[in-house]
Each structure stands twice: as structure tokens, then as C-alpha cells.
Amino acid sequence: DLQELIISSLEAQDNLNTKTAIVVPAFETINGGCDSQAECEELLPLVPETFEGMKKCLESEKCRDFQFATNPTGHSTTESDKWLSEGAGLRDITCFKSPRFEPYLVLPNCPKILYDERFSGYGKNKISNIQLLRHLSFEFKVLGQGFLTHVEHRKSASKVSWEDNKKKHKAVDRMYDDFMKVVYDGLGNHPKVRLCHLL
């Protein structure tokens, strides 16, 4: 169970920093997708429930890193190849391979870091939140043997609208640049976890 794995991994840490973000590796099934709730439910037995099951799914190429086909840098810093050979516990992320890293996180209740409400729907909501955490001196640790799995499904109307609206993309990119300027002005540009290419 994911919750138990997270708790046991936290309990095994000595002097855990209160500014620790736990990265839960994310994968997706490669199954052609589903178009209805009933079709999606039929695919649930194909979703791995254990670490060994996910390992087999990845080896047989029935699963892959989440959004690998459309956003390969979005989860590359998790380093799933390394994750596959590790045991339970937490592994430090020493640098980010991309500023587009947008993992699923488990965060402490305090300090409470909220998403910036300017970023709603698609586009830079998770990325801006991760960048804020970096500049607030959070450390990032990958959860060994724990994972989330996304079942491929039909694109929502919101997703289709986002993909077709290049003006919206540019507007969100400008908003993100403005957001990062505020972050740099307020916190400086000295994150605890830096981009790998800057080391």
C-alpha cells in the first residue's frame, strides 16, 4: 500500500528536513486507451499493483514513464531505471535534469505551499509549484518501490482545447516568466537543488 510505504520510508529517516518533498514515480499503461468509464474499468486489471508487477510491465513495454511520448523531460529526473534497481526508502535528487520536471509529490502539512491560482487548467501549474519549492530550499527525494499509474484514456475537452490554442500557450508562458521573476526577486536564484547542466 502506497500510504504505508510512504510512512515507513519517512520513519526510517534520521533528522528529516521539514522542507522535504517526496517524489512518487509516475508511470502510464500503453494499451490504446479507453473511451468510456466502463472501458476504463475493464483496463484496471492490467494496472500493476506491486513493485514487481510494475517492473514486469516496464520490461514488457506495456508501461512507461508518465507522459514519456509527449513530455519526456517531465519525469526524467525521477530516473526510473535507477528506481527499478533500488529497494524501499528515499533517494536524494541531487539535481534536476530539466526545469520542466513536474512529479507527483507528497509534501509536509507545514509549511503549506499552495499552487498559484493564476495557473488553472493546463499549462505550468505543477511546474511553477515545483520551481517555487526549489527556490524555497526544499530537498527532493524519490520514493523507492512506490509509484502511481495513469491509465491511458480519451483526451478531455479541456486537453483538446489546450492543445489547439497556441495563443493560450504563449499567454501561459508569459505568465510563467512573470511568476519566476517574482520568485527570483523575492527569494533569489539559489535553489538547494539546482539544474544538472548548471553544476
Side-chain angles (χ1 to χ4, degrees), residues 23-129:
V23 174
V24 180
F27 301 96
E28 65 186 358
T29 58
I30 306 170
N31 53 26
C34 52
D35 288 326
S36 68
Q37 180 72 27
E39 285 180 12
C40 291
E41 287 175 7
E42 287 176 19
L43 295 175
L44 289 179
L46 303 175
V47 176
E49 294 182 10
T50 65
F51 175 72
E52 287 303 320
M54 178 52 75
K55 203 170 183 176
K56 287 177 186 167
C57 194
L58 290 165
E59 287 168 356
S60 66
E61 298 183 356
K62 293 179 181 171
C63 291
R64 64 183 171 204
D65 289 352
F66 181 55
Q67 294 183 332
F68 182 77
T70 58
N71 182 17
T73 60
H75 293 268
S76 61
T77 298
T78 304
E79 297 184 295
S80 57
D81 288 345
K82 190 181 281 188
W83 175 84
L84 284 168
S85 63
E86 296 171 334
L90 299 174
R91 171 178 39 93
D92 290 338
I93 291 178
T94 56
C95 63
F96 278 22
K97 292 184 175 187
S98 167
R100 292 188 51 82
F101 185 43
E102 52 178 337
Y104 291 93
L105 299 176
V106 176
L107 294 170
N109 284 332
C110 189
K112 196 168 291 231
I113 310 298
L114 302 176
Y115 280 86
D116 190 301
E117 292 182 12
R118 288 176 287 187
F119 300 97
S120 62
Y122 284 92
K124 304 283 197 288
N125 52 359
K126 283 193 294 183
I127 291 173
S128 62
N129 189 255

